[in-house]
Amino acid sequence: MSSEDNVINLVNVEEPWCSQCLCYADYKRKWDSLPRANLDGGTYSEVSESPYCIECGSLMHYLSTCRVVVWIVRGVSILLLTALSLFCFLLFEASFYSGATWLVGVLIIFFLNQSPRNARRALSTHRFYLQKKRIMHAGVS
């Protein structure tokens, strides 16, 4: 085994994003352990690592994970809206009750779609950061 096999490529390592500081700030890692059940009837500790910003102390997010979470929630919302529409208007005849049920379902689906609030905030603040950076570099040139 050569020494090149042990080298970590830092270009491919994703840095966490701080939504409070609007930057890729330095961070410290905090470990949490949760007790989980195993198949033998016993328990084991699952350790999770979370990055926290050194400057403001808030939880930082990995943008790739945030994108995946938002897209999965959007996909589930579209599937639920399609199923709800088929249920209310094709399975039953159109009436006041099916329309009211559809409207309540659409409101629930809308709030479900807005539920990954921290992931959506991290993505929007990062988009704002990129626009600000692009404007600053355009002004320098």
Side-chain angles (χ1 to χ4, degrees):
M1 187 180 276
S2 68
S3 63
E4 293 176 9
D5 293 336
N6 296 331
V7 176
I8 297 173
N9 187 358
L10 293 178
V11 175
N12 296 332
V13 175
E14 182 183 14
E15 291 293 320
W17 172 258
C18 181
S19 298
Q20 298 293 324
C21 299
L22 301 179
C23 65
Y24 293 103
D26 290 333
Y27 61 95
K28 60 184 172 184
R29 295 178 180 158
K30 291 185 182 178
W31 287 273
D32 298 322
S33 70
L34 298 169
R36 300 283 187 191
N38 60 13
L39 296 175
D40 298 332
T43 61
Y44 69 95
S45 295
E46 180 179 324
V47 178
S48 65
E49 176 184 316
S50 302
Y52 283 85
C53 181
I54 289 178
E55 293 178 24
C56 67
S58 65
L59 178 66
M60 299 173 76
H61 302 282
Y62 292 101
L63 296 175
S64 62
T65 306
C66 292
R67 284 185 194 98
V68 169
V69 168
V70 168
W71 278 103
I72 287 174
V73 170
R74 283 180 184 168
V76 168
S77 297
I78 289 171
L79 287 174
L80 287 175
L81 182 62
T82 303
L84 178 68
S85 298
L86 290 174
F87 178 76
C88 287
F89 298 119
L90 288 181
L91 190 60
F92 298 106
E93 62 184 50
S95 68
F96 171 76
Y97 296 111
S98 63
T101 303
W102 183 82
L103 187 61
V104 169
V106 166
L107 288 174
I108 291 170
I109 291 170
F110 173 75
F111 288 120
L112 172 74
N113 193 31
Q114 300 298 317
S115 64
R117 190 172 294 163
N118 290 336
R120 294 171 65 85
R121 183 167 192 263
L123 291 173
S124 66
T125 57
H126 184 257
R127 197 175 313 119
F128 174 74
Y129 166 76
L130 291 177
Q131 289 174 350
K132 180 179 169 185
K133 188 175 174 183
R134 193 176 316 123
I135 290 170
M136 295 298 276
H137 286 311
V140 172
S141 300

